[in-house]
Amino acid sequence: MKRIISISLAAALALSLAACGAPASESAAPSESASASESTAGTQEAADAGSDAADAESDLAYVQDKGTLVIGYTVYAPMNYTDENGEFTGFDTELATAVCEQLGVTPEFQEINWNTKVVELDAKSIDCIWNGMTLTEDILANTACTEPYAKNAQVVVMKADAEYASTADLADGVVAYEAGSAGQDTVEGDEYLSQAEGVPMSVQTNCLREVEAGTATAAVLDLTLANAMIGEGTDYADLEIKDELNVEEYGVAFRKGSDLAEAVNQAFAALREDGTMQALADKYNLELAD
């Protein structure tokens, strides 16, 4: 609509300037053929503008036209990470690639600052947030989200020999969490964790480093990441899950009002039906959402 109005104003201004520069006898009344021609041209321009506006409103058309889906992520095993062979992989990495194949586009993974993920989405720096993202009230209110596709929970991770009975034990401690994450929401919403000294980190893996180094008493982060990164045979063999605080679900976020969310929901349905999603869940030790 804005483009149509702009074209009309521009056309009116051009006619006004032409009238000012022409002799009175020539500018007094345009011929019928000229009027008809200008009217036809204006109608065609308006139609073209309307078509462009309609296309611009479709995120699906936008990504299919450019041929890529830019996926915002942070390093987060088992969702998006680089394995021991140097291959970028993970549950979300493989699932997104399968969905992109259904949409007829190429996935392009772009690492982002999780705390400004929605800002980057709205600025079109990325086309979606797909990185084990919890469907919080804030995310649901400010983006267009898919249906849940996997289950998760927020957990308390501490050194294995640390004493812990409940979050009350951490009220005077130091708790690390990822800035802008469900972990931060959990810490701020808990009666006792909110009294602790909060240490916001850029990614969840850094929270584990803080606990390992002793600069944080505990970390509050995703169960999926904790299962993949702590315990015997990992770099954090002396850390363990002490508590499971709440159950959550993961989804993919697109720009508010985007038609891509429904398109991906349809792709999810097809990938559930052919067994692809369950095979990936089994591979990465995840539980699919109901």
Side-chain angles (χ1 to χ4, degrees):
M1 179 62 74
K2 290 181 178 178
R3 184 171 176 182
I4 295 172
I5 293 172
S6 298
I7 291 171
S8 300
L9 288 174
L13 179 58
L15 289 172
S16 174
L17 291 173
C20 290
S25 60
E26 293 177 7
S27 61
S31 66
E32 288 186 10
S33 59
S35 297
S37 175
E38 290 166 358
S39 176
T40 301
T43 302
Q44 184 59 49
E45 286 179 342
D48 290 344
S51 176
D52 289 345
D55 286 345
E57 293 171 0
S58 170
D59 254 7
L60 178 59
Y62 168 68
V63 300
Q64 288 180 330
D65 182 58
K66 66 190 178 81
T68 59
L69 180 71
V70 182
I71 299 164
Y73 79 97
T74 61
V75 177
Y76 169 16
M79 311 311 281
N80 307 90
Y81 66 102
T82 301
D83 66 16
E84 62 275 9
N85 298 318
E87 179 183 356
F88 184 68
T89 188
F91 178 87
D92 277 343
T93 304
E94 291 201 48
L95 180 58
T97 300
V99 167
C100 283
E101 185 175 346
Q102 297 235 346
L103 298 179
V105 298
T106 301
E108 182 180 315
F109 295 91
Q110 181 169 310
E111 193 168 357
I112 60 172
N113 181 335
W114 195 251
N115 203 31
T116 57
K117 55 188 178 293
V118 176
V119 174
E120 293 200 44
L121 184 64
D122 290 341
K124 287 195 172 183
S125 298
I126 56 175
D127 297 317
C128 65
I129 307 164
W130 198 331
N131 185 227
M133 183 195 66
T134 301
L135 293 174
T136 63
E137 290 183 7
D138 182 62
I139 284 293
L140 290 170
N142 291 290
T143 66
C145 294
T146 63
E147 296 171 355
Y149 65 87
K151 293 182 179 180
N152 182 47
Q154 291 301 305
V155 295
V156 175
V157 172
M158 300 175 67
K159 289 193 172 180
D161 59 0
E163 294 185 5
Y164 177 89
S166 71
T167 55
D169 296 332
L170 297 173
D172 296 322
V174 178
V175 178
Y177 55 81
E178 182 181 46
S181 70
Q184 179 174 354
D185 292 342
T186 299
V187 169
E188 293 176 349
D190 185 272
E191 177 183 0
Y192 301 108
L193 293 175
S194 59
Q195 297 177 40
E197 179 185 342
V199 181
M201 308 301 297
S202 60
V203 293
Q204 293 194 67
T205 49
N206 288 350
C207 299
L208 297 177
R209 292 176 187 170
E210 293 294 311
V211 178
E212 178 73 18
T215 50
T217 316
V220 174
L221 40 71
D222 288 5
L223 172 63
T224 51
L225 180 137
N227 279 337
M229 296 201 66
I230 71 173
E232 187 177 351
T234 72
D235 292 338
Y236 302 102
D238 60 337
L239 302 186
E240 71 176 19
I241 296 172
K242 296 290 188 178
D243 200 358
E244 187 171 312
L245 302 179
N246 58 292
V247 176
E248 304 168 344
E249 293 179 311
Y250 287 154
V252 185
F254 299 90
R255 283 175 279 279
K256 195 172 180 67
S258 174
D259 56 350
L260 267 169
E262 181 53 36
V264 173
N265 279 337
Q266 293 176 18
F268 280 169
L271 294 170
R272 279 180 182 271
E273 186 174 349
D274 69 13
T276 298
M277 286 184 73
Q278 187 58 58
L280 289 174
D282 294 341
K283 178 179 179 179
Y284 292 100
N285 193 28
L286 297 176
E287 184 177 354
L288 295 180
D290 297 330

